[in-house]
């Protein structure tokens, strides 16, 4: 299956022209020609089958022959807000695997103990698009750039809100025990040095419930993926 990301494809479009870059990839690299079929995803739930009507390195025209909207839509949503690691390879790994698994939104937090103060959101989006295509998904998660922790938790977030932390002396319940039905779920994952006690208290006052992801001490990116996977395991039935 040859799949192309077409974010500007209108849901009711009958025809579409690939960009010059994608046209070159289609005709020169994949060696596809007139009459061949390709798959298009718009990142908003649209999953299309199209037939090539003209194939050149600069312009490849397509005729949409079948469309399926809300392809793979779930009755619940997952939002992970995580402090990016100093080594961005590890955070990019999380984004790739979370998109493959299925995630609706990712926010990057700047916390008191954060070691990274900037990130390349364009590169992260490219990784997310590649993972979406590889896993045959039609939804691209919303990707939010760095935001200060205190500002983020004070925003009006809908659904169930959790903070996964390791601060001693705080009562926590397993995340798996807190997911009791479909809904919107937001999980906070701290930096490599964990949240500070003050940050945990701020989250509790903002309505976040304290949770644990198990008895093991996990790396930041592992914890973020574990939170995503836990919700999927409980609700993908």
């Amino acid at each position: 299956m040859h799949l192309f990301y077409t974010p500007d494809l209108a849901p009711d479009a009958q025809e579409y022209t690939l960009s010059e870059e994608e046209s070159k990839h289609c005709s020169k690299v994949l060696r596809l020609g007139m009459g061949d079929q390709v798959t298009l995803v718009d990142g908003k739930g649209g999953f299309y089958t199209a037939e090539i009507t003209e194939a050149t390195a600069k312009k490849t025209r397509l005729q949409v022959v079948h469309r399926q909207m809300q392809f793979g839509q779930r009755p619940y949503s997952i939002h992970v807000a995580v402090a990016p690691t100093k080594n961005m390879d590890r955070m990019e790994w999380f984004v790739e695997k979370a998109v493959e698994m299925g995630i609706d939104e990712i926010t990057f937090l700047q916390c008191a103990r954060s070691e990274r103060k900037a990130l390349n959101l364009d590169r992260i989006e490219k990784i997310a698009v590649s993972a979406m295509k590889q896993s045959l998904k039609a939804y691209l998660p919303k990707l939010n750039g760095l935001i200060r922790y205190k500002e983020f938790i004070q925003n009006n977030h809908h659904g169930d809100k959790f903070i996964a932390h390791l601060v001693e002396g705080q009562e926590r319940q397993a995340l798996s025990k807190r997911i009791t039905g479909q809904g919107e779920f937001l999980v906070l994952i701290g930096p490599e040095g964990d949240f500070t006690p003050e940050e945990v208290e701020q989250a509790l006052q903002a309505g976040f419930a304290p949770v644990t992801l198990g008895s093991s001490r996990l790396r930041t990116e592992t914890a973020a993926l574990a939170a995503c996977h836990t919700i999927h395991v409980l609700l993908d039935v």
Side-chain angles (χ1 to χ4, degrees):
M1 179 184 292
H2 302 294
L3 193 149
F4 295 89
Y5 175 48
T6 54
D8 57 341
L9 176 59
D12 58 350
Q14 300 300 314
E15 296 180 337
Y16 186 80
T17 302
L18 294 178
S19 66
E20 184 172 340
E21 180 181 359
E22 289 280 49
S23 292
K24 183 177 180 180
H25 181 71
C26 180
S27 63
K28 295 298 184 181
V29 179
L30 299 177
R31 297 186 180 280
L32 299 176
M34 189 181 305
D36 288 330
Q37 288 195 342
V38 297
T39 300
L40 312 175
V41 292
D42 61 10
K44 300 180 282 290
F47 193 89
Y48 308 81
T49 301
E51 185 175 297
I52 298 174
T53 57
E54 179 185 346
T56 69
K58 290 190 174 182
K59 182 181 294 184
T60 297
R61 296 183 184 275
L62 308 170
Q63 178 75 37
V64 177
V65 297
H66 181 265
R67 74 193 72 229
Q68 184 175 347
M69 310 312 295
Q70 299 181 328
F71 179 81
Q73 186 179 48
R74 300 184 304 273
Y76 60 92
S77 67
I78 302 173
H79 180 181
V80 172
V82 56
T85 53
K86 184 177 182 180
N87 182 345
M88 273 306 295
D89 287 347
R90 288 162 49 190
M91 194 53 38
E92 290 170 0
W93 174 88
F94 158 67
V95 171
E96 178 183 69
K97 301 310 174 187
V99 173
E100 290 178 11
M101 187 176 296
I103 192 167
D104 301 277
E105 189 170 357
I106 299 173
T107 296
F108 296 99
L109 299 175
Q110 187 172 342
C111 301
R113 293 172 177 164
S114 291
E115 295 187 85
R116 175 165 287 277
K117 307 299 183 183
L119 52 82
N120 186 340
L121 201 61
D122 288 340
R123 174 175 169 80
I124 291 172
E125 182 175 355
K126 289 180 181 178
I127 291 170
V129 168
S130 178
M132 175 186 66
K133 293 165 62 178
Q134 189 277 331
S135 56
L136 296 182
K137 287 186 168 50
Y139 286 97
L140 184 68
K142 182 180 180 182
L143 301 171
N144 303 310
L146 275 173
I147 181 174
R148 292 186 181 278
Y149 173 82
K150 189 173 183 180
E151 178 184 349
F152 178 77
I153 64 171
Q154 290 176 343
N155 290 340
N156 184 26
H157 300 289
H158 299 290
D160 296 327
K161 305 180 296 184
F162 307 105
I163 177 170
H165 69 84
L166 299 172
V167 177
E168 295 184 2
Q170 293 273 5
E171 183 177 349
R172 294 166 293 153
Q173 189 175 11
L175 177 62
S176 59
K177 302 295 184 182
R178 298 301 303 258
I179 307 298
T180 58
Q182 311 288 357
E184 300 177 31
F185 304 100
L186 165 60
V187 185
L188 305 181
I189 303 293
E192 292 160 287
D194 197 18
F195 293 112
T196 65
E198 292 76 19
E199 287 173 330
V200 172
E201 183 58 32
Q202 289 168 359
L204 298 183
Q205 292 180 4
F208 287 79
V211 295
T212 176
L213 298 171
S215 57
S216 298
R217 189 178 184 91
L218 305 176
R219 286 180 179 270
T220 295
E221 72 278 9
T222 309
L225 191 62
C228 182
H229 183 253
T230 295
I231 298 171
H232 275 300
V233 167
L234 292 170
L235 298 181
D236 272 352
V237 294

